[in-house]
Amino acid sequence: FSVFFEKWHGEYPATEEGYAQMTQDVQAVLAGSAGALSLYTEDGWQGTALCTEKPGPDADAAGLLERCWSSEKPHKPLEKGSRVELVTPQRGAKMDLIKLANQNAAEEVERATTREERQSKLMELLGRMLDLDAPPRRIESYDISNQGADDIVASMVVYSGTRPLKSAYRRFRIQSLEGHPDDYASVQEVLRRRLQRAADGDEKFLPLPDVFLIDGGETHARAAQTVAWEFGVDVPIFGMVKDDRHRTRALVTPEGREIGIVTQQAVFSLIGQIQEETHRFAIEFNRQQRKGRVQGSVLDRIPGAGEKRRAQLLKHFKSVRAIREAPLEELEQVVPKNTAQAVFRYFREVES
């Protein structure tokens, strides 16, 4: 309630205690005043006054306020045993308010559910879909990237629950293949090296994961499983099967059983994120390898620039492009004059 009397203004909660306090305060300000008292609802002076009265010299606050409630206004404090009317709207503005209240309640429940709880439920769902004994806490994912026989690399990406554990990422250069790329043999080499490092007690490759994911299909998963058996490792292995838009649509066991994930949006999103991160990490390493090989071959062709001088140039200029564009005077500050002149002459005369 809001009460206005001359320059005095009071606000009170719509309770029996608030009503009693309001009565007491009004009685105190009535003495010796000739102004008009106005009583408003919770909207304050912007609303409609329940009453406006000019009290007499011997006015009684309780009687004055009671007259304001003579028409049983809805904001009058309820008395014990009062009749209460419950309304259930079926349409219109009041029904819209109920829908809004339900929506607000649902959103509040969603906010109350913590991120950790949602992640826990997601991993529980993934564990059930993969028939695991428990939700997977650590997932390792592998991808092979090749640009011809000379640039075959692999990536190992680790997820702790739903989050990437970048400190545990590892990269591999494929060493056993000569003259031709072979995805299946590459998968086997990478997993064999990874498990051997774990068997040797290398902490960088411990602990073993709860699940291995291999970018590829059934044959990729089966190739990885044969290596796991060599080490007596019984970690479930699944291939990541992609659709025509390069999104992982299913996981497949080494036996060929496909587990669809598209209908489970949260699982679909998580596996897709893992697959994309594994692919990105492999491609990035592949590009680094090719860039280093190309750069090295350019400097190798410069007569008079030995390995030590090439290393000095790369350390100072950071890239072959910067070396190519450097003036002779700057080159001479890094390496001996005869080497600097050979490098300068090569890029200005031989390459052109």
Side-chain angles (χ1 to χ4, degrees):
F1 306 105
S2 293
V3 183
F4 292 81
F5 187 72
E6 296 187 325
K7 295 183 179 180
W8 176 81
H9 168 223
E11 294 187 355
Y12 305 89
T15 63
E16 291 189 6
E17 293 79 8
Y19 192 80
Q21 185 62 50
M22 178 174 62
T23 303
Q24 181 180 340
D25 292 348
V26 168
Q27 185 64 57
V29 300
L30 286 180
S33 299
L37 179 142
S38 297
L39 177 63
Y40 289 79
T41 63
E42 63 197 57
D43 292 324
W45 60 269
Q46 294 179 346
T48 302
L50 296 181
C51 73
T52 298
E53 288 199 19
K54 185 174 182 180
D58 299 319
D60 173 69
L64 179 65
L65 293 174
E66 183 61 26
R67 287 195 296 275
C68 286
W69 297 110
S70 59
S71 59
E72 293 292 330
K73 297 293 190 298
H75 286 84
K76 182 178 180 179
L78 294 175
E79 298 178 358
K80 186 176 181 180
S82 299
R83 181 179 178 181
V84 178
E85 182 181 4
L86 298 179
V87 180
T88 306
Q90 301 298 320
R91 57 184 178 273
K94 291 185 178 180
M95 186 59 190
D96 292 339
L97 286 176
I98 290 179
K99 291 180 180 179
L100 180 60
N102 289 335
Q103 180 181 341
N104 290 341
E107 291 175 355
E108 182 61 28
V109 170
E110 178 66 20
R111 284 192 292 269
T113 303
T114 65
R115 186 171 187 265
E116 288 72 19
E117 289 173 336
R118 292 196 297 272
Q119 291 174 350
S120 177
K121 291 178 181 178
L122 170 56
M123 301 315 291
E124 288 175 3
L125 174 59
L126 179 60
R128 290 195 300 271
M129 292 176 65
L130 301 183
D131 290 332
L132 304 180
D133 294 333
R137 292 174 297 178
R138 186 181 178 98
I139 299 174
E140 282 185 15
S141 177
Y142 294 82
D143 188 19
I144 307 298
S145 176
N146 66 75
Q147 297 289 333
D150 296 327
D151 294 301
I152 307 176
V153 300
S155 63
M156 166 184 148
V157 163
V158 180
Y159 268 63
S160 177
T162 62
R163 299 179 181 179
L165 188 61
K166 295 194 175 184
S167 62
Y169 285 18
R170 298 291 178 264
R171 301 181 296 190
F172 303 84
R173 285 190 293 269
I174 302 303
Q175 302 170 348
S176 61
L177 301 180
E178 296 182 0
H180 66 283
D182 185 329
D183 269 9
Y184 309 127
S186 298
V187 166
Q188 290 183 317
E189 177 185 328
V190 170
L191 196 57
R192 186 175 289 113
R193 288 164 61 184
R194 184 258 180 273
L195 293 177
Q196 185 60 59
R197 296 286 289 274
D200 293 340
D202 190 337
E203 293 183 356
K204 293 180 179 179
F205 290 86
L206 292 172
L208 291 176
D210 300 306
V211 173
F212 283 120
L213 298 180
I214 311 297
D215 191 84
E218 171 189 347
T219 308
H220 291 81
R222 190 160 55 245
Q225 188 176 64
T226 59
V227 175
W229 284 344
E230 293 175 11
F231 289 83
V233 171
D234 190 25
V235 174
I237 299 174
F238 299 89
M240 294 185 286
V241 183
K242 294 184 285 293
D243 59 17
D244 54 4
R245 297 172 62 183
H246 205 72
R247 302 177 305 176
T248 301
R249 64 171 179 79
L251 299 176
V252 62
T253 68
E255 297 76 29
R257 180 173 68 91
E258 278 199 8
I259 303 165
I261 62 174
V262 176
T263 58
Q264 296 291 344
Q265 183 57 46
V267 173
F268 178 69
S269 177
L270 173 62
I271 298 301
Q273 177 186 341
I274 294 174
Q275 184 261 326
E276 290 175 3
E277 177 69 357
T278 310
H279 184 68
R280 179 199 65 77
F281 197 52
I283 290 293
E284 182 181 275
F285 185 43
N286 189 294
R287 289 171 178 167
Q288 290 177 1
Q289 291 297 297
R290 286 189 290 119
K291 182 179 179 180
R293 186 167 57 83
V294 171
Q295 289 181 346
S297 64
V298 170
L299 296 179
D300 287 346
R301 292 197 293 265
I302 302 177
E307 181 179 351
K308 180 179 178 180
R309 303 307 181 198
R310 293 196 301 269
Q312 289 176 324
L313 289 168
L314 285 173
K315 181 178 180 180
H316 179 82
F317 291 100
K318 309 300 182 184
S319 69
V320 172
R321 179 178 179 180
I323 296 173
R324 179 184 286 110
E325 296 175 353
L328 178 60
E329 294 76 11
E330 189 173 354
L331 292 169
E332 291 177 345
Q333 294 175 6
V334 180
V335 294
K337 286 187 177 183
N338 59 334
T339 304
Q341 290 172 354
V343 172
F344 184 82
R345 184 169 57 254
Y346 178 84
F347 286 123
R348 300 309 186 279
E349 300 175 4
V350 178
E351 274 201 348
S352 61

